[in-house]
């Protein structure tokens, strides 16, 4: 498990796929804990990864991670 939460918006899809259940992430200034990582399901774009996570208050959220054009 990571000791310093990574910012979810800075992750690449490859980094997202290496996340494990219980890893901490920073999402919109809230620390959330990874529950599940999925690749290529439903309406996701090719190469897009969905990270399912929950905050300590139990509020769940889906975080879309995809390559960004610079």
């Amino acid at each position: 498990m990571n000791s310093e939460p990574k910012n979810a918006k800075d992750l690449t899809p490859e980094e997202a796929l290496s996340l494990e259940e219980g890893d901490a992430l920073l999402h919109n200034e809230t620390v959330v804990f990874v529950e599940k990582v999925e690749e290529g399901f439903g309406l996701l774009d090719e190469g897009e990864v969905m990270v399912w996570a929950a905050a300590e208050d139990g509020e769940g959220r889906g975080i879309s991670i995809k390559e960004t054009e610079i």
Side-chain angles (χ1 to χ4, degrees):
M1 227 162 84
N2 298 329
S3 57
E4 186 69 29
K6 289 186 175 185
N7 194 325
K9 70 179 183 180
D10 295 334
L11 292 176
T12 66
E14 293 78 21
E15 290 171 326
L17 287 172
S18 70
L19 294 171
E20 297 179 4
E21 185 177 337
D23 282 350
L25 289 176
L26 190 60
H27 181 251
N28 295 335
E29 300 182 13
T30 301
V31 175
V32 296
F33 299 93
V34 175
E35 294 181 338
K36 182 170 55 171
V37 178
E38 294 182 301
E39 179 182 27
F41 79 99
L43 300 174
L44 292 182
D45 293 333
E46 186 175 336
E48 186 176 2
V49 175
M50 186 65 101
V51 177
W52 299 103
E56 287 185 343
D57 64 7
E59 182 183 338
R61 57 197 76 190
I63 306 167
S64 171
I65 310 287
K66 56 185 167 183
E67 291 291 344
T68 55
E69 303 273 334
I70 298 177

